[in-house]
Amino acid sequence: MSMTTRRTVLRSTVVAAATALCASISTLPAQALDAQWCKDVHIRFFVGGAEGDAFGTIVYNGAKQAAADLGPKVDYIFSGWDVEKMVQQLREAVAVKPQGIAMMGHPGDAAIMPLAEQAHKDGIKMMYQNVPVPTVVAAFGGGYVGAQQEQQGRALGAEAFKLAGLKAGDKAIMIGPFENESRGARERGTVAALKEAGVDVVQINSQTEWAADPNLAIPPITAALLNNPGVKAVGYPGGQMLGNVATYMQAAGRKPGDIFNFGFDTSPQIVEAFKGGWVQLTADQQPFMQGYLPILSLCQQVVLGLAPMNVDTGAGFVTPQNYEIVSELAKQALR
């Protein structure tokens, strides 16, 4: 074969290979955009809370919408915000070997690390929501959809200080899971911001079961208010408790507006609390996105080979002046 002939054959082979590659790539987006393009993917999704709780319901609705839009088979895992239960359920999820797992980060880096390592070995794609686990992600990959805990907590503390008209020497109460290294970073951030502004902060360590039944927190909250009659503001760790503020205040003999009540999340109960004058500030972290986007990202990773998403869902603050903007979606458990 002459040199010219060899060049012609080589050129033809390269062109044919390139054409075939381009053809395969060009058909992928079209296939991916078909309805239910993720229908062959199996995912386990951690909702975090118990069925029907205020925050978990919005996360669940987001996840269900993603499943309906994209078509994957999704197993929904409810944990009642119990971190030990989450770890056991994650162990079981990894053993099942789905193609993707969307995990709440509440147990923290140390508890999740060995299971993330096993998932990585088994080729299971991972996403995390609500609480970041940066050390796990750095070691074994994955993405995160949720607010940045300490950053959002500090921002809420600064906003509460401003809107409540607090000054150095005033007293506030902050409730939160302070002993949880990962999940408690948000409330510790709020405390730090208030203390740096000179506010005297009384801390109440929240219990896991309070999220499932916020009425269980009535005795410690009313006791703290009675023992600290000069309290100007009270902060709450999540939508379940913030939505129950009227009950806490009435149990302590307080009226709407007597105390500046603030916290995190939106819900139908929180909307009503704004309307009744019981709640003055909340930080919105858009839990619907924390349900929808992890499933979307897992589908993209498994089907399209795309990189994991990293999305900060901290949207800003809801106040008596703007709560009506989100009220209808909140009542539908979508915001």
Side-chain angles (χ1 to χ4, degrees), residues 191-211:
V191 170
L194 290 171
K195 285 186 173 181
E196 288 166 10
V199 176
D200 179 13
V201 183
V202 176
Q203 296 180 223
I204 299 176
N205 196 59
S206 60
Q207 305 302 308
T208 301
E209 55 268 26
W210 294 359

Side-chain angles (χ1 to χ4, degrees), residues 81-98:
W81 306 114
D82 184 326
V83 294
E84 293 182 2
K85 187 175 183 179
M86 285 184 191
V87 172
Q88 178 58 35
Q89 290 170 327
L90 178 58
R91 185 175 294 106
E92 295 166 358
V94 172
V96 171
K97 296 185 179 179

